[in-house]
């Protein structure tokens, strides 16, 4: 609590184990704070809504803590945030739609949390995001079409969630994506032929899903891809000959499907 008197403090970084207790509400008094990074600590309790008063905050990282509760919707006032990393934690609840106001966001990382509910379509307002990590969460519902507005996205990881529905063809607008992981979900439908537009892809993992249909022949455009995994789904038809055009491939796994040829 004594830190709250350091009203000119611009950065607080603690990267060593041993920090215990909760985050003091009085952190909201640090109105000049631009960076708050707490790594590998035993911090518990909830995220204080009072932190929303630190409106100059650009980087908020809580890595490997025991924080719980929900993400305060008041954080929508932190409009200068470029990095929001809260993983792994015990955060619950859904992602507040109010966070769509954080239009300077570049990195959004909630891996290994207990976040649930659906991804709000308003997420499409965060057009500067390049890293979007929500894997190993309890997210449900379908992948929102608004995600297609994140045209600067390079990494999209939604593996091991409870997402369902089909892959929106609008994802074809994510032409800068290099890493795509949608595996271990309840995603169904077919692989959209429009994904051929993702020509920057280096790694594509769409395994352990309920996807059906054949592998689109248009995927021969993915000439940069090193890893292509679509195993343990319900893909049928023959293995397309265009796979031979993917000369950068080092890993190809189409096992446990209904493929022939």
């Amino acid at each position: 609590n004594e830190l709250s008197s350091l009203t000119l403090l611009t950065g607080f970084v603690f990267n060593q184990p041993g920090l215990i207790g909760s985050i003091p509400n009085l952190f909201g008094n640090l109105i000049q704070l631009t960076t708050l990074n707490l790594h590998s600590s035993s911090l518990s309790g909830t995220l204080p809504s009072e932190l929303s008063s630190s409106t100059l905050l650009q980087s908020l990282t809580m890595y490997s803590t025991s924080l719980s509760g929900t993400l305060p919707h008041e954080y929508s006032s932190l409009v200068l945030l470029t990095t929001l990393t809260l993983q792994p934690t015990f955060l619950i609840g859904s992602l507040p739609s109010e966070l769509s106001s954080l239009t300077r966001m570049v990195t959004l990382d909630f891996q290994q949390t207990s976040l649930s509910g659906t991804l709000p379509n308003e997420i499409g307002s965060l057009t500067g995001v390049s890293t979007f990590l929500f894997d190993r969460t309890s997210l449900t519902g379908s992948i929102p079409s608004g995600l297609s507005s994140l045209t600067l996205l390079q990494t999209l990881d939604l593996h091991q969630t409870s997402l369902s529905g089909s892959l929106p063809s609008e994802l074809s607008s994510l032409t800068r994506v290099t890493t795509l992981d949608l595996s271990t979900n309840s995603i169904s439908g077919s692989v959209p032929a429009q994904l051929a537009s993702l020509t920057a892809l280096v790694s594509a993992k769409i395994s352990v899903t309920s996807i059906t249909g054949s592998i689109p022949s248009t995927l021969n455009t993915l000439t940069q891809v090193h890893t292509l995994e679509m195993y343990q789904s319900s893909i049928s038809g023959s293995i397309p000959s265009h796979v031979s055009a993917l000369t950068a491939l080092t890993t190809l796994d189409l096992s446990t499907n209904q493929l022939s040829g």
Side-chain angles (χ1 to χ4, degrees), residues 43-46 62 64-71 86-93 111-115:
L43 284 173
S44 58
T46 60
M62 306 282 178
S64 193
T65 69
S66 297
L67 290 169
S68 58
T70 60
L71 182 65
L86 301 171
Q87 63 94 2
T89 68
F90 297 104
L91 285 176
I92 60 173
Q111 296 179 83
Q112 287 185 267
T113 66
S114 296
L115 280 181

Side-chain angles (χ1 to χ4, degrees), residues 103-171:
T103 54
R104 297 197 181 192
M105 191 68 69
V106 175
T107 298
L108 203 53
D109 184 354
F110 286 84
Q111 296 179 83
Q112 287 185 267
T113 66
S114 296
L115 280 181
S116 58
T118 60
L119 283 171
N121 202 49
E122 292 87 347
I123 208 79
S125 299
L126 308 182
T127 54
V129 168
S130 63
T131 302
F132 192 90
L133 307 175
F134 281 80
D135 53 282
R136 290 163 290 178
T137 64
S138 298
L139 288 174
T140 58
S142 57
I143 298 173
S145 59
L147 203 62
S148 63
S149 297
L150 309 187
T151 54
L152 298 182
L153 204 59
Q154 297 179 28
T155 300
L156 175 59
D157 195 340
L158 296 170
H159 87 267
Q160 204 170 321
T161 67
S162 296
L163 290 170
S164 58
S166 58
L167 289 173
S169 59
E170 293 91 343
L171 291 182

Side-chain angles (χ1 to χ4, degrees), residues 1-4 21-29 43 46 48 50-51:
N1 281 333
E2 288 79 2
L3 286 172
S4 63
S22 59
I23 302 173
N25 295 341
L26 293 176
F27 255 82
N29 294 343
L43 284 173
T46 60
E50 289 82 358
L51 196 58

Side-chain angles (χ1 to χ4, degrees), residues 53-118:
S53 298
S54 301
T55 54
L56 297 183
L57 205 58
Q58 298 174 31
S59 176
L60 176 58
T61 299
M62 306 282 178
Y63 181 78
S64 193
T65 69
S66 297
L67 290 169
S68 58
T70 60
L71 182 65
H73 65 84
E74 291 90 348
Y75 285 11
S76 60
S77 65
L78 303 177
V79 295
L80 299 183
L81 265 185
T82 60
T83 299
L84 181 57
T85 298
L86 301 171
Q87 63 94 2
T89 68
F90 297 104
L91 285 176
I92 60 173
S94 58
L95 193 69
S97 59
E98 292 90 342
L99 294 188
S100 60
S101 63
L102 307 182
T103 54
R104 297 197 181 192
M105 191 68 69
V106 175
T107 298
L108 203 53
D109 184 354
F110 286 84
Q111 296 179 83
Q112 287 185 267
T113 66
S114 296
L115 280 181
S116 58
T118 60

Side-chain angles (χ1 to χ4, degrees), residues 33-47:
L33 201 64
T34 61
T35 301
L36 178 57
N37 292 351
L38 303 173
H39 290 228
S40 304
S41 66
S42 297
L43 284 173
S44 58
T46 60
L47 287 165

